[in-house]
Amino acid sequence: MPTSRRTELRPALALVAVLALGLTACSGTSSSEPDATFDTDTTTTPAASGPVDSFTWYGDYRSPATLDPIKVADYPELTVIPNLCESLLDTGPGYEPKPGLASAWEQVDPRTVRFTLRDDVTFSDGTPMTREDVLFSLRRNLDPALASSYSILYQGVAAIEPHGTDQVEVTFDEPNAVFLKGMNTLGGAVISKKFAEAHPDDLGTPGTGVLCTGPYVLDSWDGVGPLTLKRSPEYWNDEREPLAKQVRFEFPAEAKALANAIRTGAVDGGFNVPAEVIPSLRQTGTGELWLGAEGSTPQNLDIIVSDLKKGPLADPAVRRALSGAVDRDALVRTAFAGAADPLYTVAGPGLWGYAKDRYRAAYDEIERASKDASGGGREAVDEAGQSGEHLTLAYPGGIEMYRTTATVVQQAAKDLGLDMKIVALPLAQYYSLFSDASVRADYDAFLTMNYTQVQEPAFMYGFIGNKDGSQNYGGYDNPEVDRLLRAAFGEPDDDKRADLVIEAQAILAEELPWIPLVAPRAAVYLDEAITGVPLTFAYMGTAWAASVGAP
C-alpha cells in the first residue's frame, strides 16, 4: 500500500481521528491470542529504576507535519509534541486529569471555567511563562486562520480573560461541561507568545521548531526523516526530571520495516503497534509486547452508513440484523491478533472517563440485547423486504486489517440473505468519503477506525448523533437524541450527564447510524533495556518520554 497509514486530521473534525488506518500487511494475521504481558489491573508498564543515555521510539507511520501543538492532532504529532509542549492539565496513565501548567482548575458555574497558574514555570530558553503566554496560546484555538485541530473543543467560547492575579477564566455562550476534559490534550498546550509572534509563518517547522515548557527540546529534524529530542537544560519541574538524555523517533511507513527495526534493535519501543506486526513480535527475543486492558484505547472500528434514506441499510431493522450477524469474536482473532475486544456501542469503555458503573451497566444491556436478537436477523431482513438486495461496502485498500474486516462483514450480510459487494478503494478516494457526499453516494457503507482524545461519550456521540454533527455522514436526524446530547454537553454533574448520554445511547444502539464492531487494546512494545510508559492512549496528553528509563 502507499506509505501513509493514517490521514492527517482535517481541522473541522478537531479531536477525532476518523481515518486511523493500519500499516501495510506483510503477512496474514494470527488467529490466536498474541504472546504478550497482559494485566487488566495496570495502566502502565513497570516504573523505571534509573536513567538511560538514550532510546529510539516508533514515532508512528510518518514524520510529524508540524511541531505546532494545535495544528495536526494525528498519531505522529501526538507521540512527539507532548514531550516538548505541556498543557494546562497533565494526564495520568488512566486518563485522570492532574495538575500541569495550572496548579488548580474549577468549573465555577455551567458557563465558566477557571485555571490557577503555577508561578514557577519557565520555557526551555529559561524565560518565565506568564499569564499572557497562556491567554495567547488558548486564544490561538479560536483563530480560524490557524485551523486548530481543537477548534470544536472551543466552540461556544465567549471569552478567554485574566482573572484575579494568577488565574485565567474561560466563559461560554451556553453551559459547557466538556471543555475542562480537553485541557489535558494539546488543545490546552502553552507556547511562548514572543517566540510565536516572531515566527508567524514558520512556527513548528524543522528550521524553527517551537518554544514550550516541556522536558525536551528539538535537537534535529529535517521534516521527513527521523526526529531527535534532547533533554532541556532549563526544565522547571524537578519532580519530572527526564531519565533519558536523548530520544530519537523513527517513522517506518510499512509493517515490514517496523518489524525489522524492532528485530534488529533499531527501534527500542513504540505505542500503537499495528495488529499486523503483533505476530512477528513473538520471535524477537529482544523485548516484550504489552497489551492494555479493555478500554485502554478510545479507538473504535465501525461501519458508517453512507445514506440513511436509501438502500437496504436505510431500514434500522436491517442495520440491527447486520450488526447482530457480524462475528466480532472472529474479527478480534483474525484482524487484530487477539489484541482487541468486541464493541457494541461507538463510545465504548475507552471513553468512560467518569460514571463507569453506570456506563458499564448500560453497555452490558446493549450487548445482551444484540446477542439475543442475532438469531432472528434473516427473518428481520425478509420482513423488511430486503432479502436478495444488493449493497456495497467500501474500505481502504492495501490494508490487511480492513480487508479481513470487510470479508467478515460480507459473510454476515450473506448469512442474512443480502448480496454485499466489498470494494477496496485507493487511499485518496477513500479519504474523500469523509468530505464529499457525491463519493459516498456510490457506496451503502464504509469502514472506519476512529477515536477522540476527550474521555467523554457525549463528545463522541455529538459528532455522529447531533443533526449538525461533524461526522453525521448519513444524515441522521433524531430530535430526541439531539436534545439529550446537547443537554449532556452542558450538564456539570457527572452522574446526571451520564444518564442523559445513556438515554441517547440506547436510541443510537437501536437506530445504528454507525455500527460498532471492535475496540483495539493498547499494544506497546518495549525492548528489555527500557520501561516506564503508559499502557493506554494517555501518552497523547503527557510528557511520557521523561519517565522512560532502565528497568
Side-chain angles (χ1 to χ4, degrees):
M1 89 173 239
T3 58
S4 176
R5 179 158 68 90
R6 298 178 182 87
T7 184
E8 293 180 11
L9 195 64
R10 293 180 175 85
L13 299 184
L15 303 183
V16 180
V18 297
L19 307 176
L21 309 180
L23 282 171
T24 303
C26 302
S27 61
T29 51
S30 171
S31 61
S32 60
E33 292 282 336
D35 293 336
T37 298
F38 182 81
D39 189 337
T40 58
D41 295 326
T42 186
T43 55
T44 66
T45 60
S49 63
V52 292
D53 283 337
S54 65
F55 65 91
T56 300
W57 201 255
Y58 167 51
D60 226 285
Y61 70 104
R62 59 162 173 78
S63 195
T66 177
L67 296 181
D68 184 338
I70 69 168
K71 283 295 185 70
V72 181
D74 196 7
Y75 292 83
E77 291 75 21
L78 294 172
T79 302
V80 174
I81 297 175
N83 299 294
L84 298 167
C85 300
E86 296 173 306
S87 298
L88 287 181
L89 305 188
D90 195 14
T91 305
Y95 301 110
E96 61 275 13
K98 300 168 59 179
L101 301 180
S103 60
W105 57 95
E106 179 185 6
Q107 182 95 34
V108 179
D109 59 51
R111 287 184 170 85
T112 309
V113 170
R114 190 176 297 158
F115 302 94
T116 301
L117 305 179
R118 299 182 60 121
D119 62 3
D120 59 347
V121 180
T122 60
F123 290 108
S124 57
D125 65 350
T127 59
M129 182 195 80
T130 69
R131 182 162 60 177
E132 280 303 309
D133 294 306
V134 176
L135 293 169
F136 171 80
S137 298
L138 299 187
R139 288 169 180 165
R140 293 181 77 228
N141 294 278
L142 299 174
D143 185 350
L146 294 178
S148 169
S149 287
Y150 299 86
S151 58
I152 287 182
L153 183 65
Y154 282 78
Q155 278 187 346
V157 170
I160 303 174
E161 300 293 344
H163 184 272
T165 59
D166 60 350
Q167 294 176 320
V168 166
E169 191 169 86
V170 183
T171 56
F172 305 91
D173 294 324
E174 297 180 354
N176 187 319
V178 175
F179 181 80
L180 262 179
K181 297 177 182 294
M183 288 297 97
N184 58 356
T185 70
L186 291 179
V190 176
I191 64 175
S192 164
K193 177 183 178 182
K194 181 180 178 181
F195 186 86
E197 289 182 337
H199 299 278
D201 300 321
D202 59 353
L203 184 70
T205 62
T208 301
V210 290
L211 181 56
C212 292
T213 67
Y216 288 96
V217 295
L218 181 64
D219 186 26
S220 64
W221 178 47
D222 65 4
V224 178
L227 182 152
T228 302
L229 306 180
K230 63 182 179 181
R231 189 160 57 194
S232 172
E234 301 289 344
Y235 189 50
W236 61 274
N237 190 349
D238 293 339
E239 297 179 1
R240 183 187 257 166
E241 190 67 26
L243 294 174
K245 297 177 183 177
Q246 185 183 79
V247 183
R248 177 181 171 88
F249 292 91
E250 294 280 353
F251 305 96
E254 296 184 352
K256 183 177 181 179
L258 174 59
N260 286 340
I262 289 174
R263 184 171 57 253
T264 61
V267 166
D268 298 314
F271 300 117
N272 205 28
V273 173
E276 291 89 341
V277 177
I278 287 174
S280 69
L281 296 184
R282 296 172 175 159
Q283 286 84 40
T284 64
T286 60
E288 198 163 14
L289 173 69
W290 292 75
L291 295 183
E294 180 191 30
S296 52
T297 83
Q299 292 176 305
N300 43 83
L301 174 63
D302 311 281
I303 302 171
I304 300 178
V305 180
S306 300
D307 190 336
L308 292 164
K309 296 181 176 61
K310 70 175 186 179
L313 295 178
D315 191 326
V318 177
R319 299 198 293 271
R320 288 194 295 272
L322 181 59
S323 177
V326 172
D327 189 341
R328 290 171 172 80
D329 291 327
L331 272 180
V332 168
R333 293 191 307 271
T334 60
F336 291 88
D341 296 284
L343 186 66
Y344 293 89
T345 63
V346 173
L351 288 172
W352 302 342
Y354 60 96
K356 292 184 179 181
D357 290 344
R358 274 176 156 79
Y359 282 117
R360 169 57 68 185
Y363 181 89
D364 289 346
E365 184 176 340
I366 290 170
E367 180 179 356
R368 283 193 298 270
S370 178
K371 290 179 177 179
D372 289 345
S374 61
R378 188 166 190 125
E379 181 179 347
V381 171
D382 288 340
E383 290 178 356
Q386 299 297 328
S387 183
E389 289 297 312
H390 303 278
L391 68 162
T392 304
L393 175 72
Y395 67 95
I399 304 169
E400 183 66 20
M401 178 269 289
Y402 280 100
R403 186 198 65 78
T404 302
T405 299
T407 302
V408 170
V409 174
Q410 181 185 45
Q411 182 59 52
K414 182 179 180 180
D415 293 343
L416 296 172
L418 295 168
D419 181 14
M420 175 180 282
K421 179 182 179 182
I422 58 175
V423 179
L425 298 180
L427 290 188
Q429 186 178 355
Y430 173 76
Y431 296 159
S432 66
L433 292 170
F434 297 88
S435 60
D436 191 337
S438 66
V439 177
R440 291 196 296 273
D442 292 334
Y443 309 97
D444 294 276
F446 54 101
L447 295 175
T448 187
M449 181 86 78
N450 103 342
Y451 77 96
T452 173
Q453 290 175 256
V454 180
Q455 302 300 296
E456 171 57 73
F459 201 79
M460 173 63 77
Y461 283 136
F463 286 111
I464 69 173
N466 286 134
K467 184 177 181 179
D468 59 355
S470 61
Q471 295 187 70
N472 184 2
Y473 303 113
Y476 183 71
D477 185 4
N478 186 314
E480 181 63 5
V481 170
D482 201 79
R483 181 191 70 79
L484 288 165
L485 292 176
R486 293 183 189 280
F489 203 85
E491 174 53 65
D493 182 273
D494 283 347
D495 288 342
K496 291 179 180 178
R497 185 166 65 259
D499 289 342
L500 289 165
V501 173
I502 287 167
E503 193 174 346
Q505 177 179 260
I507 300 171
L508 289 166
E510 279 291 306
E511 299 187 342
L512 291 174
W514 286 34
I515 300 174
L517 299 174
V518 167
R521 296 193 179 201
V524 177
Y525 175 77
L526 288 176
D527 183 89
E528 58 191 13
I530 58 171
T531 188
V533 298
L535 274 179
T536 66
F537 268 32
Y539 72 87
M540 295 180 172
T542 190
W544 59 269
S547 301
V548 177

